[in-house]
Amino acid sequence: MTDEYDAVVVGSGPNGLAGAITLARAELSVLVLEANSTIGGGARSSELTLPGFVHDVCSAVHPLAAGSPFFKTLPLGRFGLDWIQPEIPLAHPLDDGSAACLQRDVDLTADSLGNDARAYRNMMKPLTRDWEKLSAEFLQPMLHLPRHPFALGRFGVPAMCPATWLTKMLFKNEPARALFAGIAAHSFLPLESWVSSAFVLVLGTAGHAVGWPIPRGGSQSIANALMKYFLELGGKIDINWRIENLDQLPKSRVTLFDSTAWEFARIAGDRLPSRYRRRLESFRHAPGIFKIDYALSSPIPWKAKACRRAGTIHLGGTIAEIADAERDIVRGKVPERPFMLVTQQSLFDQTRAPGGQHTLWAYCHVPFDSKIDMSERIESQIERFAPGFRDCILARHKMSAPDLEKSNPNLTGGDINGGAANLWQLIARPILSPTPYRTPLRGVYLCSSSTPPGGGVHGMCGYHAARAALRDMFDTRLPASP
């Protein structure tokens, strides 16, 4: 084994692999160290319930991966990554048996929203048209000189607004309001919070521009494709190598940590200046999740027929219900009717389950580090919109917030976003700096979801961190980002 490398990357999640690929493309020798026996971090798949049922361990649906400016520069299709686009990207059922749907086509979505069609079209059509410009702008640190200021301004003004305010200002009827509220809840913020609308606009626009696709064979396919390309570039990966302190690292010129702010602070310990370490330790967490994977004997019997053709379903009812539930979560209270995301991959990907049978991926939001079993609440919420769901269940695999942390130290307390995405922590993630990936330790960089642009499978945290490292190594101006 080579004793010294140009670069070492700790963690083989999408950000770690993106950083490793960026460094390897610069013809550096790069070693990736993974603590677990399988690579992938938040992009892994496994038979969690019964033999033949393939479940996504963490992430499942990937609009930001499909729209990632960096991933688009990689030949991932050559290494087996095949995106599947569900017929309907997103459906949001209501109690009357109807469902508001986000379709790939803006006009088709708008026309389904009745009197709110014009408002939806006026908001989303310009943003969808500018997706390529916008994705490059918001998938990097907020503190930067914009290359597309007019497009960013059109996005940024409404994005700053609380979701409740923007939604009620734009729409008169519940279907459009509920659809927007469900997407806003991806922020893990109270819907009355500033910038909660940003998540509606980013993910909603992505749904129209690139879809909400799933990878054939499971999210592991994303990690595997990244790994294979990295190995083709001459990189090396070692598994079952857990780093507990900096002294365990192989010698290298630079090190990238695909670790959250708190995990990096623990590993680096007293080697960090006290002021920087305190900043990392005080970085605020997002709420957690409680996740269940199901093996099912048949498709879910949704009351709303559109849900039977949708890849992703948001369960939460009206905007008022979703806002109440998210407000409770932040206050440390467990709602009786939590907001939920469910994904029906096996409806569109036959590799996920034995013939005629199905998988379901589901999670609800819970207070940070909640130990409460949410199974009954989750299944009651599904039954509310799909009577007879429980009769389809063959097996369950549950993961509470502490279980998630045990499986992956980056998921502290069930926080899947690497820290709260409030306004301040979008600007200072995890510190206020144009290059927040640098740490005070020479040659050491953070590249996890605790850095810009934050959570999601897009690889941009790793890409930007690696570019910062390359600039520092070679003291030269790199070509513009993709």
Side-chain angles (χ1 to χ4, degrees):
M1 184 178 79
T2 304
D3 292 327
E4 187 169 350
Y5 297 84
D6 292 320
V8 170
V9 179
V10 178
S12 68
N15 282 315
L17 291 172
I21 287 169
T22 302
L23 295 167
R25 280 175 142 186
E27 300 184 352
L28 302 185
S29 59
V30 185
L31 171 67
V32 172
L33 302 178
E34 171 54 49
N36 294 314
S37 59
T38 57
I39 65 141
R44 290 184 294 128
S45 305
S46 182
E47 292 185 343
L48 298 176
T49 56
L50 298 173
F53 290 83
V54 178
H55 303 278
D56 291 325
V57 176
C58 191
S59 64
V61 181
H62 300 283
L64 295 182
S68 167
F70 177 61
F71 284 174
K72 287 182 179 179
T73 70
L74 309 181
L76 300 183
R78 180 158 59 85
F79 296 101
L81 181 58
D82 179 21
W83 291 117
I84 298 173
Q85 296 283 359
E87 181 182 350
I88 297 174
L90 168 66
H92 187 118
L94 298 167
D95 286 308
D96 64 2
S98 67
C101 295
L102 187 149
Q103 307 270 4
R104 285 295 303 275
D105 185 84
V106 175
D107 290 321
L108 191 60
T109 304
D111 291 343
S112 71
L113 297 176
N115 294 335
D116 290 320
R118 182 176 180 181
Y120 187 91
R121 187 178 287 110
N122 288 345
M123 171 60 71
M124 301 304 291
K125 205 154 195 175
L127 298 179
T128 301
R129 182 190 62 226
D130 288 339
W131 168 258
E132 296 294 335
K133 298 175 182 176
L134 288 171
S135 61
E137 294 286 4
F138 53 62
L139 291 175
Q140 63 173 300
M142 287 187 68
L143 297 180
H144 73 276
L145 188 64
R147 295 169 62 189
H148 307 286
F150 295 110
L152 188 59
R154 187 185 295 111
F155 164 83
V157 172
M160 287 289 295
C161 297
T164 47
W165 182 84
L166 180 66
T167 301
K168 292 179 179 178
M169 183 186 72
L170 286 175
F171 304 124
K172 300 180 177 66
N173 301 313
E174 190 57 46
R177 289 180 171 184
L179 182 66
F180 252 49
I183 304 174
H186 282 254
S187 68
F188 285 83
L189 298 170
L191 300 195
E192 302 85 8
S193 297
W194 294 102
V195 304
S196 53
S197 288
F199 290 78
V200 185
L201 302 183
V202 170
L203 295 175
T205 302
H208 295 306
V210 298
W212 282 23
I214 59 174
R216 189 180 304 280
S219 294
Q220 187 75 51
S221 299
I222 302 173
N224 288 348
L226 290 167
M227 174 193 69
K228 291 173 183 176
Y229 181 49
F230 171 62
L231 295 177
E232 183 181 84
L233 292 170
K236 182 180 179 182
I237 297 178
D238 278 353
I239 59 173
N240 297 316
W241 191 333
R242 186 175 298 277
I243 298 298
E244 298 289 352
N245 61 71
L246 298 181
D247 293 332
Q248 293 175 284
L249 291 167
K251 292 181 180 179
S252 65
R253 298 167 65 187
V254 299
T255 304
L256 271 60
F257 276 87
D258 187 4
S259 309
T260 58
W262 316 279
E263 184 68 3
F264 175 66
R266 183 189 67 79
I267 292 170
D270 292 341
R271 299 272 287 274
L272 293 173
S274 58
R275 183 177 179 183
Y276 181 82
R277 188 174 69 253
R278 285 195 302 270
R279 170 59 190 155
L280 296 188
E281 292 171 345
S282 65
F283 195 60
R284 286 185 58 192
H285 282 285
I289 67 166
F290 185 96
K291 179 174 178 284
I292 307 182
D293 290 286
Y294 292 95
L296 303 177
S297 62
S298 62
I300 298 172
W302 300 107
K303 287 191 290 185
K305 291 184 179 179
C307 292
R308 304 178 188 187
R309 299 162 21 231
T312 301
I313 313 287
H314 286 166
L315 300 181
T318 65
I319 183 175
E321 286 184 87
I322 297 170
D324 286 347
E326 295 303 285
R327 196 181 307 116
D328 283 348
I329 294 297
V330 173
R331 292 173 178 172
K333 179 181 176 182
V334 176
E336 284 302 313
R337 286 184 162 182
F339 172 73
M340 286 179 54
L341 287 84
V342 306
T343 302
Q344 309 180 112
Q345 302 102 317
S346 59
L347 288 181
F348 310 95
D349 180 3
Q350 287 70 42
T351 69
R352 303 295 185 101
Q357 298 177 317
H358 289 273
T359 61
L360 181 69
W361 175 99
Y363 76 69
C364 71
H365 294 175
V366 296
F368 177 77
D369 204 29
S370 171
K371 298 172 178 63
I372 295 175
D373 188 330
M374 297 294 289
S375 304
E376 180 58 33
R377 290 178 175 90
I378 284 176
E379 291 176 15
S380 294
Q381 192 77 308
I382 300 175
E383 281 277 342
R384 173 184 172 187
F385 300 102
F389 164 70
R390 286 189 175 94
D391 296 334
C392 305
I393 299 172
L394 298 173
R396 303 171 179 84
H397 179 270
K398 306 176 188 179
M399 294 190 80
S400 66
D403 292 333
L404 286 159
E405 179 177 348
K406 190 179 297 183
S407 73
N408 183 344
N410 280 344
L411 304 179
T412 310
D415 175 359
I416 62 174
N417 278 338
N422 55 38
L423 178 57
W424 175 245
Q425 288 195 177
L426 288 176
I427 297 171
R429 192 167 187 89
I431 60 170
L432 186 64
S433 169
T435 313
Y437 313 97
R438 292 192 185 102
T439 78
L441 302 180
R442 183 176 178 83
V444 178
Y445 302 79
L446 270 181
C447 71
S448 71
S449 56
S450 293
T451 64
V457 176
H458 42 64
M460 297 302 292
C461 308
Y463 168 74
H464 289 304
R467 284 173 60 86
L470 289 170
R471 281 192 295 269
D472 293 345
M473 289 175 75
F474 299 111
D475 192 25
T476 185
R477 183 178 179 84
L478 295 173
S481 301

